[in-house]
Each structure stands twice: as structure tokens, then as C-alpha cells.
Amino acid sequence: MLCEKPLTATADEAQELFALAADRGLVLAEAAMYRHHPQTALLRQVVAERLGPLRALHAAFHYPIDGLDGDVRARPELAGGALRDLGLYCVSALNLLAGGEPEEAVGRARLHRGGVDVAFGGLLSYAGGVTASFHCSMDSALALHLTVTGEHGTLTVPNPFQPGRPSIWAPRRCPAEATLSTAAGEERIELPGGDPYLSEVEDVARAIRGAGGFTIPAAETIGVLRTIDRLLASAGVATAPPAPPAPPASAATA
């Protein structure tokens, strides 16, 4: 099964599903498509080889959703909210580049009238003194970027999550190149193209055939969801969706 992100509402639920899949010999994978784009692999390489020890990271993903009041992402019983929908990309990228889950996670939310977080900001602290921040929202003008600063330079990525792909994400405002700033000056890094959706389907097909593991291991999915759980709890937002109302007595006995 290839399931669109977030795989589940909470980390505990994801652990249960992965354990069930393993027990039955099945492939279960989360479809966070940006992880399958060749740009992501290139950015990881640049960060590892050119920046030196990491110091700070920042990510943002703001995307205006028309008709938010009636949108599925505004329904708390379906685990809606900006953090799970858009902030997941930010948390995923920060954890990936920082090398694991944060030691501390502090979040603040602005709530929609329905109760879900319509905007969310977070501060994360990783091992080795690496700090990170992010913000996301479902009612702001389009804005997305990633900045990674190390001892030797800063990498700025205008579209870290769906690069070079014609879409509703206004690709002309997100050029397919990154900027590496060092003491030697600025260097433009051309970013590769590709279809991340096709890549993730091919990836899970290989895993099903036993020809390799899925790009996003279970531990990574669980770690991102655990970070989101901690951020929501810090912000005072319920981490688990409310239980659905009990069916009428007539329906329960039918």
C-alpha cells in the first residue's frame, strides 16, 4: 500500500500499521512525493559536502486554500490543519537534513473557527546545537522556501517540495535553481527535473518485487509524525482527532 501523506494522524497509529504490515509480509509506504524527486538527493549532497557542520535551518510553506470553511483540511475529525497538510513537508525536510528527530520541539498555532490549526510555526533543536524553524499556513499568499546554513555557507532553495513542475504552485515564481552563498561568492546550482509521483510509484513497485527498500523507511515516517505530535501538544492543539459521534440507536441495531 502506498498511502498519501500523512500516513496516519499520529505516530502511534503509524507504528501499529507498520507492525501489522510487517507481520503479514506486506509493503506499506508513505507517499511524501518530494522525497523521491532527484532534487532532494542533490540538495542532501550539497548540504553534506559544501556547507560544513550545520548551524541553522528554516523552511516555509504557505498555500491559500479557497473555500477553506468547507474544505476537508479544515475538519478536525479528519485530522485536518496546516501542520499535517503543509507543515509536514517542512518538518520532513528539516529532520532529513538535520539527521533525525529534534531533541526539543516548540509550536504555536493560529486556529481556524472549526478548531484546526490554520497556521503553525515551530522551533526545533537538534543534536549538536543545530536549530531550525518553520512556518506554514492555509490562508496566506503562496510562499515556500528552504534555507540551510552551515559553517562554510548557506544554501537557499526557492521550491524545495515540487521543483520545476508546471502546477498550481506557480512554478514561474519558483525557479529550478538553488543558490549557494560562501566566502567565495554566490553560486547558482541548476536543479534536476523529474516526476516525483512517478518515481514513488516505481519505488514502491520495486519494494513489492523485493528489488529494494522504499525510499522513505518506516522509521522516518514515524519520526516525522512523532515530531508533529510534539509540536501540536506544545501548541495546545489536540494530537488525535476527536472520536466520531456514536451512530443513532436505530442504526446501531439495524
Side-chain angles (χ1 to χ4, degrees), residues 33-178:
M33 52 77 186
Y34 92 98
R35 284 283 282 109
H36 299 268
H37 197 287
Q39 170 182 281
T40 303
L42 176 60
L43 295 178
R44 294 181 73 185
Q45 180 181 353
V46 172
V47 169
E49 297 179 357
R50 305 287 300 276
L51 297 189
L54 291 186
R55 300 293 187 240
L57 305 93
H58 178 73
F61 196 168
H62 298 265
Y63 179 72
I65 296 177
D66 294 332
L68 183 58
D69 286 350
D71 193 276
V72 66
R73 285 162 287 194
R75 295 175 59 180
E77 72 274 18
L78 296 180
L83 179 57
R84 288 190 176 105
D85 184 46
L86 303 173
L88 181 142
Y89 289 101
C90 301
V91 172
S92 172
L94 296 176
N95 281 8
L96 182 69
L97 295 173
E101 297 176 50
E103 296 177 341
E104 297 181 72
V106 178
R108 294 294 181 266
R110 175 164 54 83
L111 299 182
H112 181 263
R113 61 177 60 89
V116 303
D117 54 294
V118 70
F120 203 98
L123 296 174
L124 305 171
S125 298
Y126 294 90
V130 178
T131 59
S133 61
F134 74 91
H135 48 84
C136 61
S137 69
M138 301 190 293
D139 64 351
S140 305
L142 177 71
L144 62 165
H145 65 265
L146 172 69
T147 302
V148 186
T149 297
E151 183 178 334
H152 305 313
T154 294
L155 180 67
T156 304
V157 188
N159 187 346
F161 306 125
Q162 198 182 34
R165 179 180 171 84
S167 73
I168 58 176
W169 290 6
R172 284 180 294 180
R173 294 175 58 183
C174 299
E177 62 179 20

Side-chain angles (χ1 to χ4, degrees), residues 27 203-215:
V27 171
D203 200 16
V204 78
R206 284 191 294 270
I208 291 170
R209 293 195 303 268
F214 193 64
T215 293

